[in-house]
Amino acid sequence: MTGHFATMKRLCLFLACLALCVPVAAVHWPASAQDARLPGGALSLDPMAQDTFRVLNEARRGEVWGQVRVERRVIIRIAPSDEATRTTLMAELPRRNMQANFEEVPHTDCVQVESILGVRPTHDNRLLLFTRDRAILTATLERKCAARDFYSGFYIERSDDGRLCADRDRLQSRAGSSCAVEGFSRLVAVAG
């Protein structure tokens, strides 16, 4: 019984090898009798009569590429103002007893992003922006947004002009909110 099993095993191995060789031979075999005719009209079964390197020639052809476009995106993070920044801004105020009230004055529709040092949400659904030139700006958010979502700052995609503009740019909070700025105002201290 073991001799019969060994013979069957050898036969299966031989057939498996033969099955692997068939596709290789089929590449060289003429597709039809018309393809196998020699110039004199005689049939040729010689695989060398065909283009034996057809497969290699097809593999050698390079891939055809279309347009390739590379885009670069820069995301800027504006963090909440830290205690040191607020202390520095407060230290430069005059030391005399003075009651200061703040009044809002109109500001342009855009702010240089690199001038923003920090941000703080307010209770009236706006953001306070602290700038390098020691100005405090308010950014009014669109109605559907909540300023409290920006407690840990915001992200903004850098524009070509490097500015944050009302009715153009969107602020992305770390909580996932995306809000447009409707306008900016500047807070100015008035004695009173």
Side-chain angles (χ1 to χ4, degrees):
M1 189 68 139
T2 57
H4 180 62
F5 182 71
T7 305
M8 289 299 288
K9 193 173 178 181
R10 283 186 207 128
L11 180 62
C12 287
L13 185 59
F14 173 74
L15 290 175
C17 289
L18 185 62
L20 289 173
C21 294
V22 169
V24 173
V27 168
H28 300 293
W29 197 262
S32 67
Q34 196 70 303
D35 294 338
R37 291 196 184 273
L38 290 175
L43 275 177
S44 169
L45 298 178
D46 183 12
M48 296 306 286
Q50 299 296 314
D51 183 9
T52 57
F53 297 105
R54 179 174 47 105
V55 174
L56 294 176
N57 286 336
E58 288 177 9
R60 189 179 61 184
R61 284 189 217 145
E63 291 184 31
V64 178
W65 287 84
Q67 180 180 6
V68 177
R69 184 174 173 178
V70 178
E71 292 186 17
R72 192 174 103 191
R73 244 176 106 178
V74 178
I75 305 294
I76 301 168
R77 179 172 186 243
I78 305 296
S81 60
D82 59 354
E83 189 65 34
T85 303
R86 286 194 308 273
T87 303
T88 302
L89 289 174
M90 297 300 281
E92 294 181 8
L93 291 176
R95 293 289 178 208
R96 62 182 184 215
N97 289 336
M98 178 176 147
Q99 287 289 339
N101 292 324
F102 290 94
E103 183 179 291
E104 287 188 51
V105 295
H107 191 269
T108 61
D109 287 341
C110 295
V111 176
Q112 287 293 336
V113 173
E114 62 198 28
S115 72
I116 302 172
L117 289 176
V119 62
R120 176 88 45 198
T122 65
H123 296 292
D124 59 352
N125 208 33
R126 295 188 293 172
L127 298 176
L128 291 178
L129 303 176
F130 301 95
T131 65
R132 291 187 192 283
D133 61 354
R134 295 179 175 37
I136 301 174
L137 306 176
T138 62
T140 305
L141 300 176
E142 60 186 325
R143 187 178 303 256
K144 69 176 184 167
C145 292
R148 67 179 174 271
D149 290 343
F150 296 90
Y151 69 93
S152 62
F154 63 85
Y155 295 102
I156 181 171
E157 190 168 341
R158 184 172 176 83
S159 60
D160 292 335
D161 60 4
R163 301 187 307 166
L164 167 63
C165 293
D167 298 322
R168 183 187 79 176
D169 299 314
R170 298 190 69 80
L171 307 179
Q172 182 76 33
S173 77
R174 295 185 75 182
S177 298
S178 178
C179 298
V181 177
E182 291 186 343
F184 294 103
S185 298
R186 188 165 51 101
L187 294 180
V188 178
V190 292

